[in-house]
């Protein structure tokens, strides 16, 4: 279905054309007409399916065609992270460029000037406010946020917000909104707690299910079964073996991100890091360098696993096995986007085997186990029936790191 078939206002169509949009994705085909009809929606859709445009486009269209809109905090989009808030705000700016719709991103970590700008927008009014729960709740508590004219509420990445402990913050915000409004809830998964929240805030919602929790078939998935101490030498070897233009590496902790970044930089590999310990300006600068291809390798925590809108990432590496199957799908889903192909490597240490087995169960297939070069020495056996007593295998020596023939400090660039 083409975007010209939705009946959008010509001012919005200019923004759509300028953004290079032509054909709607499945989630856009289903969501856009229902939003235009004024229905509440609960939609299960993975990242990368086009769900951001699925709610932004009809939202912009409704605002510019409704003569009763007072342009004072008309719509509220609540998201789990600063990065996603910034990304949606940038997306919003592009799509609404030829309209009079105003927007602002409200999130933590900014300086005093950012706070003043947010306060001004929230008290005098912007059409669309994109915010993180905690920061928005703080503004509301200060008493100057005008919400009486709000007509639309969008919860994006709702499952992740609940996982991050934002339920009370979200309900606090909702309790300060007008009862008569249109509600849209988007979530990659639909656990019981999401459905419970949906029952509290949605009114006779239309339900859409696009999420299958399966990776893009164009992603070549491979896993390396190694000891923990072999991970850094192996990652250096893989990065030097082939020249990847854009590489995104995920670690499960900030400590791992920092250590890996230091080791790669010492080996002469151009890489940088992004995690919550960095100030907002630094995070945005690193991300912009990566997007513009000035930085070939970005190492991150799961803060970037969802919602980051970057095409043409050649390789995603899971330095640590993700916590669950959904996180795995979201991490590797950063590659093979926009009709491109991509590769995803996962490093599995002995203690992580049980987690990866559960991921393979979700995928419904076994991920190919790539051969580790002989110079790395002995590697663990991947045990498909790990025993609890050994943390992943029947062999009592299974979880013990072994000596191998590479010297990490030499960059392993053979």
């Amino acid at each position: 279905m083409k975007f010209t078939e939705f009946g959008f206002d010509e001012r919005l169509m200019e923004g759509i054309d300028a953004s290079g949009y032509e054909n709607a994705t499945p989630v856009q085909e289903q969501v856009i007409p229902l939003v235009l009809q004024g229905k509440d929606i609960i939609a299960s859709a993975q990242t990368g399916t086009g769900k951001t445009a699925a709610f932004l486009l009809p939202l912009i269209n409704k605002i510019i065609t409704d003569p009763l809109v007072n342009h004072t905090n008309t719509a509220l989009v609540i998201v789990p992270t600063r990065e996603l808030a910034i990304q949606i705000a940038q997306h919003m700016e592009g799509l609404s460029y030829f309209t009079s719709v105003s927007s602002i991103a409200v999130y933590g970590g900014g300086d005093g000037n950012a706070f003043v700008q947010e306060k001004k927008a929230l008290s005098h009014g912007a059409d669309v406010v994109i915010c993180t729960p905690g920061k928005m709740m703080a503004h509301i508590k200060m008493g100057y946020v005008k919400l009486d004219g709000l007509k639309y509420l969008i919860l994006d990445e709702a499952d992740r917000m609940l996982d991050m402990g934002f339920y009370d913050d979200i309900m606090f915000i909702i309790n300060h909104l007008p009862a008569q409004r249109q509600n849209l809830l988007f979530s990659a998964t639909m656990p019981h707690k999401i459905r419970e929240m949906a029952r509290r805030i949605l009114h006779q919602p239309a339900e859409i299910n696009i999420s299958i929790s399966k990776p893009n078939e164009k992603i070549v998935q491979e896993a390396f079964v190694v000891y923990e101490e072999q991970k850094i030498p192996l990652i250096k070897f893989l990065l030097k073996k082939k020249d990847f233009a854009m590489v995104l590496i995920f670690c499960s902790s900030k400590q791992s991100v920092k250590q890996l970044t230091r080791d790669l930089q010492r080996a002469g590999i151009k890489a940088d890091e992004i995690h919550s310990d960095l100030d907002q300006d630094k995070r945005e600068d690193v991300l912009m360098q990566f997007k513009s291809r000035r930085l070939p390798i970005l190492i991150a925590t799961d803060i970037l696993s969802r919602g980051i809108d970057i095409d043409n990432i050649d390789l995603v590496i899971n330095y640590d096995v993700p916590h669950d199957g959904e996180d795995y799908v979201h991490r590797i889903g950063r590659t093979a986007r926009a009709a491109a192909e991509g590769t995803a490597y996962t490093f599995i240490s002995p203690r992580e085997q049980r987690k990866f087995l559960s991921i393979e169960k979700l995928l419904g297939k076994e991920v190919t186990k790539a051969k580790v070069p002989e110079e790395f020495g002995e590697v663990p056996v991947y045990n498909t029936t790990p025993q609890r007593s050994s943390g992943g295998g029947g062999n009592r020596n299974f979880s013990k790191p072994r000596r191998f023939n590479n010297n990490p400090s030499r960059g392993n660039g053979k």
Side-chain angles (χ1 to χ4, degrees):
M1 183 175 183
K2 295 187 179 296
F3 282 100
T4 52
E5 300 177 55
F6 289 113
F8 288 137
D9 184 277
E10 62 180 17
R11 291 166 290 177
L12 177 55
M13 282 306 305
E14 285 190 73
I16 293 172
D17 292 340
S19 299
Y21 287 4
E22 185 175 347
N23 296 308
T25 65
V27 69
Q28 291 163 356
E29 283 189 23
Q30 295 189 51
V31 169
I32 289 173
L34 293 172
V35 178
L36 292 174
Q37 293 168 27
K39 294 184 178 295
D40 280 14
I41 291 173
I42 178 170
S44 176
Q46 292 176 200
T47 185
T49 56
K51 61 182 171 62
T52 302
F55 63 77
L56 285 183
L57 289 171
L59 182 63
I60 296 168
N61 196 77
K62 288 170 79 86
I63 291 173
I64 63 178
T65 58
D66 185 353
L68 299 180
V69 167
N70 63 12
H71 302 287
T72 304
N73 302 331
T74 307
L76 187 62
V77 182
I78 306 178
V79 300
T81 66
R82 292 179 267 196
E83 284 69 27
L84 187 54
I86 293 167
Q87 177 192 312
I88 292 176
Q90 291 172 342
H91 206 163
M92 175 81 191
E93 184 178 357
L95 294 174
S96 64
Y97 186 81
F98 298 98
T99 75
S100 59
V101 176
S102 61
S103 62
I104 186 171
V106 175
Y107 49 85
D111 56 17
N113 290 332
F115 177 83
V116 171
Q117 185 180 5
E118 290 173 359
K119 180 178 179 181
K120 182 178 179 181
L122 292 171
S123 56
H124 295 285
D127 287 301
V128 180
V129 176
I130 302 122
C131 65
T132 51
K135 190 62 181 294
M136 189 63 191
M137 183 175 72
H139 279 294
I140 291 174
K141 285 182 176 180
M142 293 180 189
Y144 47 74
V145 182
K146 292 185 178 179
L147 295 170
D148 53 320
L150 186 129
K151 302 182 74 169
Y152 310 102
L153 170 67
I154 297 96
L155 300 178
D156 193 17
E157 305 266 349
D159 52 345
R160 182 51 58 110
M161 285 196 283
L162 294 197
D163 287 343
M164 293 170 70
F166 284 133
Y167 178 82
D168 290 340
D169 294 10
I170 292 170
M171 296 312 299
F172 175 89
I173 295 168
I174 289 173
N175 288 335
H176 286 77
L177 305 181
Q180 296 299 316
R181 63 179 188 269
Q182 185 177 4
N183 305 286
L184 313 177
L185 185 152
F186 294 87
S187 183
T189 58
M190 285 294 163
H192 177 72
K193 57 187 178 181
I194 289 291
R195 296 194 176 276
E196 280 294 314
M197 185 170 73
R199 276 193 282 271
R200 293 191 63 179
I201 66 176
L202 304 181
H203 177 65
Q204 297 181 344
E207 186 163 345
I208 296 169
N209 188 351
I210 299 292
S211 177
I212 349 171
S213 295
K214 302 290 182 183
N216 188 326
E217 290 296 328
K218 293 182 179 180
I219 302 173
V220 177
Q221 301 176 61
E222 292 185 346
F224 293 86
V225 183
V226 292
Y227 291 108
E228 192 67 37
E229 66 178 18
Q230 293 172 315
K231 286 185 175 182
I232 289 178
L234 179 58
I235 213 166
K236 293 176 183 176
F237 174 86
L238 293 172
L239 292 175
K240 290 187 174 182
K241 181 180 179 183
K242 183 177 178 181
D243 186 22
F244 293 100
M246 294 186 77
V247 180
L248 185 54
I249 303 173
F250 285 111
C251 299
S252 294
S253 69
K254 291 180 287 188
Q255 290 73 23
S256 294
V257 169
K258 294 172 184 178
Q259 181 63 52
L260 179 57
T261 303
R262 283 195 297 268
D263 283 352
L264 293 187
Q265 290 174 346
R266 287 169 183 165
I269 297 172
K270 190 174 182 181
D272 211 336
E273 61 194 351
I274 188 167
H275 48 75
S276 59
D277 281 355
L278 300 177
D279 63 51
Q280 189 61 26
D281 287 343
K282 174 63 175 175
R283 288 159 73 176
E284 291 180 23
D285 178 60
V286 171
L287 191 56
M288 187 56 64
Q289 286 187 53
F290 186 60
K291 285 183 175 182
S292 63
R293 292 174 169 263
R294 288 176 288 148
L295 175 69
I297 301 170
L298 179 60
I299 306 167
T301 53
D302 278 326
I303 199 166
L304 287 186
S305 66
R306 298 192 184 213
I308 184 172
D309 190 17
I310 301 177
D311 294 333
N312 303 318
I313 293 176
D314 304 297
L315 173 65
V316 169
I317 298 178
N318 291 310
Y319 181 80
D320 302 304
V321 173
H323 293 300
D324 55 44
E326 289 294 338
D327 284 336
Y328 176 83
V329 172
H330 284 292
R331 281 188 183 186
I332 72 170
R334 303 303 89 219
T335 188
R337 301 186 67 177
E341 295 182 351
T343 303
Y345 294 150
T346 301
F347 292 178
I348 311 170
S349 68
R351 63 183 176 80
E352 296 172 306
Q353 289 197 15
R354 184 178 296 276
K355 282 197 293 186
F356 199 73
L357 280 168
S358 67
I359 290 171
E360 290 181 312
K361 184 176 180 181
L362 174 73
L363 299 177
K365 67 175 184 179
E366 183 177 345
V367 174
T368 300
K369 306 304 181 296
K371 180 176 175 58
V372 178
E374 291 183 1
E375 65 242 45
F376 283 79
E378 183 183 355
V379 296
V381 174
Y382 189 66
N383 192 336
T384 55
T385 56
Q387 298 177 19
R388 203 172 292 172
S389 61
S390 65
N395 185 338
R396 63 184 177 180
N397 292 323
F398 185 71
S399 61
K400 292 182 180 179
R402 304 297 180 92
R403 292 184 178 273
F404 52 95
N405 298 329
N406 277 351
N407 183 347
S409 65
R410 302 175 77 174
N412 196 23
K414 295 182 181 179

